[in-house]
Amino acid sequence: MGKIILTGDRPTGRLHVGHYVGSLRRRVQLQNSGEFDKIFVMIADAQALTDNADNPEKVRQNVIEVALDYLSVGLDPEKTTIFVQTGVPELTELAFYYMNLVSVGRVQRNPTVKTEIKMRGFEQSIPMGFFSYPVSQASDITAFNATTVPAGEDQAPMIELTREIVGRFNNIYGPTLVEPEILLPENAVCMRLPGTDGKAKMSKSLGNCIYLSDTPKELAKKVKSMYTDPEHLTIDSPGHLEGNCPFIYLDAFSSDEQVARLLPDYKSLQELKDHYCRGGLGDGTVKKLLIAVLEEELAPIRERRKQWEQDIPAVYEILRKGTEKAREEAAKTLDRVREAMKINYFADEKLIAEQARKYAAK
Ligand code: ATP
Ligand code: MG
C-alpha cells in the first residue's frame, strides 16, 4: 500500500510554534519530498469535542483557523488531503469496534491521558468520550492505512496503543490493519517545546503560546516577557541555560548561519551560549535575536495567511473536497474490517447459503 501519512490537530485554537516545530514543519518537508504515496491531515473536531462538549462554538470557530494555519505553512491541497474528522463517520464505527480490544486500565496508565485529565480537572468525573480518545486516534490512523505519524512526543503513547490495537485486531480477525510508526522531530528540543512561561509544554489550553498568526507586535511582546534565568540578575552575572526559554527557542528555530548574520559578534549559537554562561550578555540581546529569528520564519507564513483570509469560501471548499476523498478511503478500510470481523452479513453469500442449508436439513 506504500508509505502513507496521517496526522492532525485539534481545532481548539490557532496553531502555535510548538505545533510548528513538533509536527507542521516536518509535514511540509515530507509533503514536498515526494517520498509518500498519500498524505492525510485531519482537523480533529470530534476529538476536540471530547473535552469541549459544552463549548461547541469554540470548536466550530477554530476549524477554519486551523485550516488557514495549514495552508499558510505550506500544506498544499494538491498533494495533501486536508479533511475534517466529523465528516468521516466511518472513523466512529471503527473506534467502537477497537474499544473492545483495549482495557480501561491500559488507557488509565497512558501518561499523556493522565496529565491531560489533571490539566482539565477531570479527576472526579472523566467524560467517556475523552477517556476513549486514544482509541479513536487508533481508528483515525488505521482508517488511512498510515505507516507514518509525524507528531510531538506527547503522541508517542497514542501510537503505541494504536500498534497494540492493530496487533490484537490482526491476531483475532486476520491480517487487516497496518501498524504505524511515530516520526518524532530530529531535534530533541522540538519534541516538546515549552510555553513562554517556561512550563513543560506550549499548549493552546495553557495560554502560553506564540501563535503562527501573531502580529510582529504580539510576537515581540511575548518574547520580551519570556521566562529566562531568575538568577541572572545583572548583565554581568553568569547565566544558566537550563529552562531558559529564549535559548530553548533558539535551539528549535535558529541556525548558526542565522546567528552569525544577525549578531556578527558571534559565529554560532554555542558561542552566544558560552558568553551568557560566563556573564556579560544580557537577556535583552538574546531576546532581540530570537525575535529576529522568529520573524524570518513567521513573516512569510503570516503573508500567506493574509492571502487565504481573502478567500474563506475557497478554504471551506478545500476542506469539503478533502473530506470527501478521506471518506472514500476510510470506507474502504471499514469494509475490510467488517469483512474480517465477519459482520458483513448481507454481503456474505456463503453465510446465507450455509444458514439456508442448515434450516433446509431440519
Ligand atoms: P490542546 O491543548 O487542545 O490539546 P495542543 O496545543 O496540545 O492543544 P494538539 O492539537 O493536541 O495541540 O497537538 C497537535 C500536534 O502538535 C501533536 O502532534 C502534538 O504532538 C504537537 N504539539 C503540540 N504541542 C506541542 C509542543 N509544545 N511541542 C511540540 N509538539 C507539540
Ligand atoms: Mg494536545
Side-chain angles (χ1 to χ4, degrees):
M1 262 186 254
K3 285 171 80 179
I4 300 174
I5 289 180
L6 177 285
T7 182
D9 305 272
R10 295 151 40 92
T12 49
R14 294 181 171 201
L15 297 183
H16 53 65
V17 296
H19 298 122
Y20 187 69
V21 295
S23 174
L24 281 179
R25 182 164 65 180
R26 190 71 172 282
R27 283 181 216 174
V28 177
Q29 284 164 1
L30 296 173
Q31 167 195 273
N32 297 334
S33 75
E35 269 178 48
F36 287 83
D37 300 292
K38 291 178 194 165
I39 305 180
F40 296 92
V41 174
M42 177 178 83
I43 302 183
D45 62 333
Q47 192 189 119
L49 284 168
T50 64
D51 57 334
N52 289 284
D54 53 354
N55 196 359
E57 193 53 25
K58 172 170 150 191
V59 176
R60 195 168 115 94
Q61 294 296 332
N62 280 304
V63 168
I64 188 77
E65 297 298 339
V66 172
L68 285 166
D69 285 329
Y70 283 169
L71 294 168
S72 58
V73 295
L75 285 180
D76 174 356
E78 296 290 319
K79 299 179 185 154
T80 295
T81 305
I82 303 175
F83 71 98
V84 180
Q85 189 179 22
T86 48
V88 187
E90 286 76 6
L91 299 174
T92 325
E93 185 174 334
L94 281 178
F96 199 67
Y97 303 141
Y98 294 173
M99 276 189 225
N100 302 328
L101 307 177
V102 185
S103 73
V104 169
R106 180 67 187 82
V107 178
Q108 270 168 339
R109 287 192 298 274
N110 180 313
T112 302
V113 174
K114 264 193 195 165
T115 320
E116 291 180 339
I117 286 174
K118 239 191 226 150
M119 214 169 96
R120 287 161 176 75
F122 283 163
E123 285 105 326
Q124 296 308 315
S125 165
I126 311 171
M128 284 274 282
F130 182 80
F131 189 72
S132 53
Y133 94 74
V135 182
S136 129
Q137 267 185 229
S139 74
D140 304 334
I141 295 168
T142 54
F144 299 95
N145 304 302
T147 52
T148 313
V149 183
E153 198 183 31
D154 60 324
Q155 293 304 308
M158 310 304 170
I159 313 303
E160 201 39 53
L161 187 73
T162 301
R163 292 166 62 90
E164 282 173 32
I165 291 174
V166 168
R168 286 210 72 192
F169 189 100
N170 289 348
N171 201 11
I172 301 172
Y173 304 112
T176 312
L177 304 174
V178 177
E179 227 179 58
E181 263 171 37
I182 190 167
L183 190 65
L184 290 167
E186 280 154 3
N187 184 346
V189 73
C190 298
M191 289 188 193
R192 189 181 293 252
L193 195 76
T196 50
D197 54 0
K199 289 228 175 79
K201 182 176 171 274
M202 179 175 289
S203 165
K204 285 172 251 154
S205 310
L206 292 174
N208 57 6
C209 306
I210 294 179
Y211 293 99
L212 293 173
S213 50
D214 276 348
T215 61
K217 222 170 140 185
E218 285 165 331
L219 172 83
K221 197 171 156 210
K222 288 180 182 178
V223 172
K224 282 180 191 155
S225 63
M226 251 182 195
Y227 181 85
T228 60
D229 171 14
E231 286 169 38
H232 189 235
L233 294 172
T234 65
I235 290 185
D236 291 329
S237 57
H240 301 89
L241 299 175
E242 178 132 358
N244 193 318
C245 281
F247 278 106
I248 296 174
Y249 283 48
L250 283 171
D251 273 330
F253 282 94
S254 74
S255 63
D256 285 340
E257 173 277 319
Q258 232 176 353
V259 174
R261 179 161 47 78
L262 295 167
L263 275 185
D265 288 347
Y266 303 89
K267 280 205 273 311
S268 64
L269 180 58
Q270 192 54 50
E271 273 192 15
L272 190 79
K273 286 180 178 172
D274 291 344
H275 191 183
Y276 189 81
C277 294
R278 274 198 313 273
L281 177 62
D283 285 325
T285 309
V286 182
K287 287 180 171 176
K288 232 163 112 186
L289 171 67
L290 177 60
I291 292 170
V293 164
L294 287 174
E295 271 303 324
E296 286 192 357
E297 191 92 30
L298 299 185
I301 295 177
R302 229 183 259 132
E303 272 316 301
R304 266 199 299 269
R305 195 182 217 276
K306 252 191 222 142
Q307 285 168 14
W308 282 107
E309 282 172 356
Q310 302 310 307
D311 200 358
I312 295 295
V315 180
Y316 277 109
E317 184 56 18
I318 288 169
L319 294 182
R320 193 191 62 75
K321 278 199 189 135
T323 304
E324 207 171 87
K325 200 168 154 197
R327 190 163 185 199
E328 277 169 27
E329 199 75 19
K332 280 189 229 158
T333 305
L334 183 59
D335 276 347
R336 283 193 295 113
V337 160
R338 288 166 144 266
E339 202 182 318
M341 293 176 72
K342 298 197 185 302
I343 52 173
N344 60 337
Y345 314 108
F346 315 127
D348 190 345
E349 284 169 19
K350 218 172 123 204
L351 168 76
I352 298 170
E354 242 172 51
Q355 297 294 341
R357 263 200 310 277
K358 191 169 96 187
Y359 280 92
K362 265 196 175 171

